[in-house]
Amino acid sequence: MTKLTKRLVEKPWGKDTLPAPFTAPAGSRIGEVWFEPPAELPSVLVKYIFTSDKLSVQVHPSDAEARQLGEHDRGKEECWLVIDAEPRAALGVGFHKPVGIDEMRQAALDGSIEDLLVWHPVVAGDFFYIPAGTVHAIGAGVSLIEIQQNSDITYRLYDYGRPRELHLDRGSAVAKGEPHDPALRFHLPASGTVELARGPYFLAHRVDGVPDDALLSKYSAPCLVIPRAGTVTIGADTVEVGECAVAGAVTDVHFDPQGACILVRAA
């Protein structure tokens, strides 16, 4: 079976009405839709995120920092592709100016860290790459696809007074008190094949129609396929929008000439 197992995750900040083709079960607030990483590509996790409220101000360590801190998981780099956004929706990524560790810690304690962040207004098609150590928060009214290292390490610095554990010591030890590099965010054109991410852990492209030979050569290893318009076929499986599948190589995929999808592989 090429399709990945889909898991709907309830969150207090999730939504009871989701963008098509997703549907929240009656009485549920779905914040995330996870696709279980396949054995062929265990290091990359893909999920959809839907927010009705702000997520915590948080940071993730690098692989090396996770080891130094005694964690039993890898670090986490991630990227976001916004697929829907309500008016005034924003993502908090990086700081307005350099922030020292002591200032950051005090701001986390008194809540002013929220104002130190740069809140970027977003619309569908906006893309952000979030390196390890980047302080960030997803705002309310955003639907996005997240591609990340398959890691569960999150250090919360501030959570708007919610009764959840904070991780100020570890978070401040790995947080980079600096602005986000503008080269790591952009708006996708309406059409065309675009490289989304080329990081140390994964490569990702938005593909319009059928990929050319140059792109085929970049995905000759196991890869994830996430349809965004139309369908793709892998073997006997038809994969639709809202699903994610694994292919042994992109040459195993039959693409809809009128469709679009996201391809992801390990770097």
Side-chain angles (χ1 to χ4, degrees):
M1 184 68 173
T2 60
K3 294 184 186 180
L4 304 189
T5 300
K6 181 191 304 184
R7 181 155 60 95
L8 276 63
V9 182
E10 289 194 65
K11 297 285 187 180
W13 43 259
K15 291 185 173 183
D16 53 14
T17 301
L18 305 180
F22 297 102
T23 303
S28 299
R29 298 182 68 81
I30 301 301
E32 298 178 345
V33 176
W34 290 42
F35 297 96
E36 299 292 344
E40 302 94 322
L41 194 53
S43 63
V44 179
L45 173 66
V46 170
K47 64 175 77 166
Y48 285 78
I49 296 178
F50 311 106
T51 69
S52 62
D53 200 355
K54 289 180 179 177
L55 277 63
S56 62
V57 177
Q58 57 188 241
V59 67
H60 310 293
S62 66
D63 285 0
E65 289 166 336
R67 288 192 297 270
Q68 291 167 3
L69 291 168
E71 299 282 6
H72 299 290
D73 203 349
R74 58 174 60 88
K76 182 175 173 183
E77 295 211 347
E78 60 192 343
C79 62
W80 302 329
L81 175 61
V82 178
I83 60 171
D84 189 45
E86 298 174 9
R88 296 180 296 280
L91 299 173
V93 185
F95 295 104
H96 285 281
K97 59 183 179 59
V99 178
I101 291 177
D102 291 342
E103 181 184 2
M104 188 188 308
R105 186 183 180 91
Q106 181 57 45
L109 288 169
D110 64 24
S112 61
I113 193 169
E114 189 178 2
D115 298 322
L116 296 179
L117 285 174
V118 178
W119 289 90
H120 303 268
V122 292
V123 296
D126 285 343
F127 178 83
F128 290 74
Y129 191 93
I130 312 295
T134 304
V135 178
H136 60 276
I138 298 176
V142 180
S143 298
L144 57 81
I145 296 173
E146 179 174 287
I147 302 166
Q148 61 163 88
Q149 283 182 274
N150 185 16
S151 170
D152 198 31
I153 302 177
T154 294
Y155 298 145
R156 284 187 293 273
L157 297 172
Y158 177 66
D159 201 22
Y160 317 99
R162 298 166 183 150
R164 292 202 297 171
E165 180 184 5
L166 300 180
H167 312 94
L168 294 182
D169 290 339
R170 294 188 173 220
S172 59
V174 305
K176 297 175 181 176
E178 59 190 31
H180 185 244
D181 183 350
L184 299 179
R185 58 182 187 268
F186 58 90
H187 183 79
L188 271 67
S191 61
T193 293
V194 180
E195 181 176 283
L196 299 176
R198 182 186 294 272
Y201 304 105
F202 50 81
L203 175 72
H205 282 76
R206 193 278 302 276
V207 180
D208 243 1
V210 179
D212 59 21
D213 290 343
L215 193 59
L216 290 176
S217 69
K218 291 181 172 67
Y219 288 89
S220 57
C223 57
L224 301 180
V225 185
I226 309 156
R228 292 299 305 142
T231 62
V232 299
T233 304
I234 305 174
D237 287 333
T238 297
V239 188
E240 301 179 343
V241 176
E243 298 179 321
C244 180
V246 62
V250 78
T251 50
D252 297 338
V253 182
H254 177 74
F255 292 86
D256 180 350
Q258 305 303 314
C261 67
I262 297 172
L263 297 178
V264 185
R265 70 161 173 81

